[in-house]
Amino acid sequence: MGAIYEIGALCAIEESIRGLDLRDCRGYLGVSSGGFMAAGLCNGMSPRELSSVFIENSTPAPDRFDPNELMRPDWLELRQRLERLPGLLAAASWQMLAQGRAPMSALEQLGHALPTGLLSGEALAQQVHRQFSIKGRSDDFRRLKHRLVLVATDLDSGEAVLFGMPGWDHVPVSRAVQASAALPGLFPPVLIDGRHYVDGALKKTLHASVLLDEGADLLICVNPLVPYASEASETVSGSGTHIPSLVEGGLPVVLSQTFRSLIHSRLELGMKGYAHSHPNADILLFEPSKQDAELFLANTFSYSQRRHLAEHAFQSTRRQLLANADAIEAKLARHGLSLDIERLLDPGQHLVADAAHTADAGSRARLTRQALMRLDHALSQLEAKYKV
């Protein structure tokens, strides 16, 4: 979900801001799913190319990325854990029968037989390595033209590790991408130089100070995961349905909401901190609406859904740019950039090729909102010009 939203948002951002080339920025920083996006941009892949590779699957091998590979079970991890089960059962039985320990206390040992992750992260690393081994790209941090930082968390210390910074730039980019996205419970920790690493979002959400401390004066942040506000939710695809209560979705939905809430609360604190620690830097944050049920309920492993959701992210980011045009333009102007208002107001702009042929009542409503936004923007410009 993170990668799908980020691709749609990045395409909308680059195509709506005059003078912006996301392949030629001073530095890139990626956390979790953002690691693949940041590494791709730093390797000279445009947002549209990332869409072709990840969303459309329209590029030839080895440049094609198959998200379904991420669903491959980690059979090695499962086998190694199962091999420990007989010994653990014997120890638990001994503790209960010979030592008189309570059954639940003795059975706690069986937790050692549970896998640290259900899915294999090796498939991700292998795909990324193939793509960054193509001529003109690199899987070596030290050979990239721009600064690239990929954040992971050291499992045994809980500290953030910045792959790509001095002392950590010998690790292959593909392995760092795998470590940064190793969400505990889904993917096993990644072993690098004798240490185990997991998802970088467990420590902090943005880690933006890394680039700000190096002098970045304009930071464009894309955060794909926000907690869902069910009481004020939008309907899904105009169907008139929404989620009245998250508990109805069972454990997966509850865990998703919990994780989203945790990382977003840290993001909000971080943004406030950057305003004080780097007051001269302009920061633009793009993220989904908290009322967006469509993104929250998405089945991201369906090819048609990936395309639909990427288009959804593309259009929602365009609406965000337009709705906040005055504030965004003021920040962009300080860096020689500007919004392309006419492009933002053009209803013919799409990410996926056939999106124009799948318009529904919801899209017609969006066109109405765009017209109202255009009127509001024009009135704001008149007010500013004539000080009404």
Side-chain angles (χ1 to χ4, degrees):
M1 169 53 68
I4 292 170
Y5 176 82
E6 287 159 1
I7 287 174
L10 289 170
C11 286
I13 292 167
E14 183 176 74
E15 293 171 16
S16 303
I17 298 179
R18 297 190 187 95
L20 177 64
D21 183 352
L22 289 176
R23 298 169 298 178
D24 190 26
C25 298
R26 176 183 296 182
Y28 301 83
L29 189 143
V31 184
S32 196
S33 64
F36 177 73
M37 300 301 117
L41 293 171
C42 194
N43 260 292
M45 300 174 69
S46 70
R48 284 281 175 172
E49 286 180 283
L50 289 171
S51 179
S52 297
V53 169
F54 192 86
I55 304 297
E56 299 280 8
N57 296 131
S58 58
T59 54
D63 205 20
R64 183 179 301 137
F65 188 102
D66 184 4
N68 293 298
E69 286 290 309
L70 301 180
M71 296 296 289
R72 183 189 301 173
D74 192 334
W75 297 117
L76 177 61
E77 167 82 358
L78 291 171
R79 179 177 63 80
Q80 291 174 341
R81 294 287 169 169
L82 286 174
E83 289 174 349
R84 303 173 65 179
L85 186 58
L88 292 170
L89 280 171
S93 300
W94 173 258
Q95 291 176 3
M96 286 189 294
L97 298 175
Q99 299 179 350
R101 291 184 62 178
M104 289 304 297
S105 177
L107 290 174
E108 282 182 358
Q109 293 196 47
L110 298 183
H112 296 290
L114 295 176
T116 56
L118 299 176
L119 307 174
S120 174
E122 290 301 318
L124 170 63
Q126 291 169 10
Q127 288 199 75
V128 175
H129 174 71
R130 286 198 304 269
Q131 288 169 322
F132 294 166
S133 298
I134 294 174
K135 185 177 180 180
R137 304 176 191 168
S138 178
D139 198 28
D140 188 332
F141 284 101
R142 296 162 296 189
R143 299 181 63 185
L144 296 172
K145 296 180 180 179
H146 304 285
R147 168 77 77 192
L148 172 64
V149 180
L150 302 178
V151 184
T153 304
D154 186 316
L155 182 64
D156 293 304
S157 69
E159 295 301 316
V161 173
L162 308 177
F163 292 110
M165 295 294 283
W168 296 99
D169 54 1
H170 66 285
V171 177
V173 174
S174 54
R175 187 62 63 185
V177 168
Q178 178 191 3
S180 184
L183 183 63
L186 287 182
F187 298 99
V190 179
L191 182 63
I192 299 175
D193 295 342
R195 306 284 292 185
H196 289 93
Y197 298 94
V198 293
D199 198 305
L202 300 185
K203 180 69 176 180
K204 288 172 65 178
T205 305
L206 278 181
H207 297 269
S209 58
V210 175
L211 297 181
L212 292 171
D213 289 344
E214 291 195 344
D217 51 7
L218 174 62
L219 199 67
I220 298 175
C221 307
V222 179
N223 170 50
L225 299 180
V226 297
Y228 177 66
S230 62
E231 293 182 353
S233 66
E234 300 172 357
T235 58
V236 181
S237 298
S239 63
T241 62
H242 68 288
I243 312 172
S245 175
L246 294 184
V247 74
E248 300 297 327
L251 181 61
V253 170
V254 172
L255 289 178
S256 176
Q257 179 76 338
T258 301
F259 180 71
R260 290 164 180 258
S261 299
L262 286 172
I263 64 173
H264 199 264
S265 64
R266 295 205 306 268
L267 181 146
E268 292 174 332
L269 288 174
M271 293 294 287
K272 292 178 182 178
Y274 300 143
H276 293 288
S277 61
H278 300 84
N280 296 322
D282 289 311
I283 301 178
L284 298 176
L285 173 64
F286 298 91
E287 58 185 12
S289 165
K290 292 184 178 181
Q291 292 82 40
D292 195 332
E294 190 157 2
L295 285 174
F296 189 76
L297 292 172
N299 170 19
T300 58
F301 287 95
S302 160
Y303 171 66
S304 61
Q305 269 290 89
R306 287 203 305 272
R307 301 177 79 247
H308 172 73
L309 292 170
E311 178 70 25
H312 181 80
F314 178 78
Q315 298 299 346
S316 64
T317 304
R318 281 164 44 82
R319 292 195 297 274
Q320 184 180 352
L321 283 161
L322 193 56
N324 301 283
D326 292 336
I328 292 174
E329 282 193 307
K331 291 183 177 182
L332 293 177
R334 292 192 283 270
H335 308 278
L337 304 172
S338 63
L339 278 180
D340 189 338
I341 298 297
E342 289 302 315
R343 190 180 184 92
L344 283 170
L345 292 169
D346 181 3
Q349 297 297 318
H350 296 281
L351 177 63
V352 298
D354 57 354
H357 303 294
T358 58
D360 55 13
S363 65
R364 290 193 293 271
R366 288 193 290 271
L367 291 176
T368 301
R369 287 198 297 270
Q370 283 184 327
L372 292 174
M373 288 179 182
R374 181 171 190 168
L375 176 61
D376 180 70
H377 181 71
L379 290 173
S380 297
Q381 289 183 316
L382 288 172
E383 289 177 356
K385 182 176 182 179
Y386 295 106
K387 296 181 174 58
V388 177

